[in-house]
Amino acid sequence: LRPIDRIPPLGRGEITVARSTNIGKLAGAIAKRIREDGAASVRGFGAVAMRLALKATAIASGYLDERGELLGQELAALPQLEEVDDATGSPTLQGTLTVYRLATGSAEE
C-alpha cells in the first residue's frame, strides 16, 4: 500500500453500469475517460454491476497499456459503497468506482 497526495478531480459525469452491460464496451468507455480526463467514475447497483466495473477496469488497463499510454503509471480504483433504497423502497447496494492514473514507484520514493 502507498499513500497518495490526492485523487484527481473527475472531468465529467459518471459512467453507469448494470448487470446487462457489455464489459468490453464498458472497458472502452473507462479507457477513453482515463485517456481524456485522467479519471473515470463508474456507478452501479448491486454486486454483479460492481464486479463488472472491476473487470472492465482491469481490461481498460490492458487497453491503455497495449497502446503505451500507461508508461510509468498504473490504474488505481477507489471503491465507495452506499446502501440506498431502490424504486420499490427496498434497500440495495450502490457502488461507485473511481478509477484514476497513479504513478508507479517503490514505497521508498
Side-chain angles (χ1 to χ4, degrees), residues 15-70:
I15 300 168
T16 303
V17 60
R19 68 175 45 238
S20 61
T21 298
N22 179 308
I23 196 167
K25 289 182 179 182
L26 177 60
I30 293 170
K32 182 178 179 185
R33 281 286 167 89
I34 296 294
R35 207 176 280 124
E36 294 175 354
D37 300 337
S41 180
V42 183
R43 181 177 62 105
F45 291 92
V48 173
M50 294 315 299
R51 187 187 80 228
L52 290 175
L54 285 169
K55 284 183 176 182
T57 299
I59 294 168
S61 179
Y63 290 165
L64 294 168
D65 191 44
E66 285 174 6
R67 294 179 63 165
E69 297 179 32
L70 285 180

Side-chain angles (χ1 to χ4, degrees), residues 1-4 70-74 102-109:
L1 295 176
R2 289 186 283 131
I4 59 171
L70 285 180
L71 298 176
Q73 297 177 325
E74 59 191 356
L102 184 65
T104 58
S106 66
E108 293 84 34
E109 293 180 10

Side-chain angles (χ1 to χ4, degrees), residues 85-96:
D85 291 336
D86 66 11
T88 65
S90 300
T92 187
L93 181 67
Q94 174 183 320
T96 302

Side-chain angles (χ1 to χ4, degrees), residues 2-12 34 37-42 74-80 96-103:
R2 289 186 283 131
I4 59 171
D5 296 337
R6 64 180 179 80
I7 296 173
L10 297 173
R12 290 185 262 169
I34 296 294
D37 300 337
S41 180
V42 183
E74 59 191 356
L75 291 188
L78 175 66
Q80 297 169 310
T96 302
L97 193 64
T98 304
V99 184
Y100 56 96
R101 294 175 188 254
L102 184 65

